[in-house]
Amino acid sequence: QTVLDGNNLNRCIDIQSDNVKIFGFSIINGFATYSGQSIDGRGAGIRSMGNLPIISNCNFINNSTGSMDDWGGAIYFENGGQVTICSFIDNYAREGGGIFCRFGDLQIHQSYFKNNTSNYFGNDIKTTDVFEVTITSSTFTDNIGTSISNESVDAIFNIIDGAFENCNQALRFPRGTIN
C-alpha cells in the first residue's frame, strides 16, 4: 500500500468533489485543527466535503484533531459516504475518533475499529443530521468509551453482523431507530 503520512502536521486528503473513490492507501499521522473556520479542524486523515465518496481497502492509523471544535480523527464526511474493508486504529478527535458523519447516508462494510478515542461520545463513529446508517460485518474493539454515537433525530441505524469486543459502551442513541 502507498502510505500518505501527514507527519502530525497536515491533513492527508481533502475531498471537494462528488463521487470520489479512494482505494488502497495507508493514511497515517494526519493532523487538523481549528484555525479560524470551524471546518478547518475536521478530518485529519480525510476531510470530505463532496457527496458520496467511496473509501476502500485503506488503513487509518494515528490521525488526530487538535482543538475542542474538531470532529473526525480519521475521516470527516460532510455529505455521507461509504467505507469498505478499512481499518481504523488509534485515531483521535473531540467527537468521532474514527469517523464523523454529518448529513447524508453512511455505509460501513467489513471494517475494523480499534482503540480510537474522543473527548465526548463516539470513539469510533459519531453521526449527526444523517438519514440512514448501515454497518455490516464490522468489528469494534478495545474502546473505553462509547463506540458508536448518534445525535440525528430521525436516523435509522442498521447494524448487521457486527461484533463489539472489550468496549465500555457499544452504542449511544438518545434519538433515532436501531435495527
Side-chain angles (χ1 to χ4, degrees):
Q1 277 191 330
T2 299
V3 175
L4 300 177
D5 189 342
N7 295 308
N8 295 312
L9 297 171
N10 301 297
R11 172 180 297 113
C12 295
I13 299 174
D14 195 7
I15 299 170
Q16 298 294 322
S17 300
D18 296 342
N19 304 309
V20 171
K21 293 180 173 94
I22 296 173
F23 181 86
F25 289 96
S26 286
I27 298 167
I28 65 172
N29 303 319
F31 181 76
T33 192
Y34 177 82
S35 62
Q37 294 184 343
S38 61
I39 197 71
D40 291 344
R42 297 180 185 168
I46 294 176
R47 176 177 66 179
S48 174
M49 303 305 291
N51 291 313
L52 304 173
I54 296 173
I55 299 168
S56 183
N57 293 82
C58 291
N59 298 308
F60 295 86
I61 302 167
N62 196 42
N63 298 285
S64 64
T65 60
S67 76
M68 291 303 293
D69 192 35
D70 300 341
W71 301 338
I75 301 173
Y76 173 80
F77 289 122
E78 179 74 13
N79 296 298
Q82 179 179 321
V83 173
T84 303
I85 311 172
C86 291
S87 64
F88 297 82
I89 301 168
D90 295 327
N91 299 287
Y92 165 81
R94 176 180 178 240
E95 297 183 54
I99 298 171
F100 190 104
C101 184
R102 184 175 180 204
F103 308 122
D105 294 334
L106 176 63
Q107 297 178 24
I108 299 171
H109 309 289
Q110 296 176 304
S111 293
Y112 177 76
F113 295 81
K114 181 178 181 176
N115 200 39
N116 298 293
T117 57
S118 66
N119 288 356
Y120 296 97
F121 300 108
N123 284 358
D124 293 316
I125 301 168
K126 172 75 184 266
T127 60
T128 186
D129 301 316
V130 297
F131 305 111
E132 186 168 5
V133 176
T134 301
I135 301 170
T136 58
S137 302
S138 295
T139 300
F140 302 84
T141 186
D142 295 336
N143 290 302
I144 58 171
T146 306
S147 289
I148 302 172
S149 181
N150 171 57
E151 296 295 331
S152 304
V153 175
D154 294 321
I156 298 170
F157 266 73
N158 303 297
I159 301 174
I160 303 157
D161 197 26
F164 294 87
E165 303 164 351
N166 196 29
C167 297
N168 243 10
Q169 180 181 14
L171 308 170
R172 180 182 176 273
F173 287 82
R175 305 174 190 151
T177 303
I178 303 172
N179 295 319

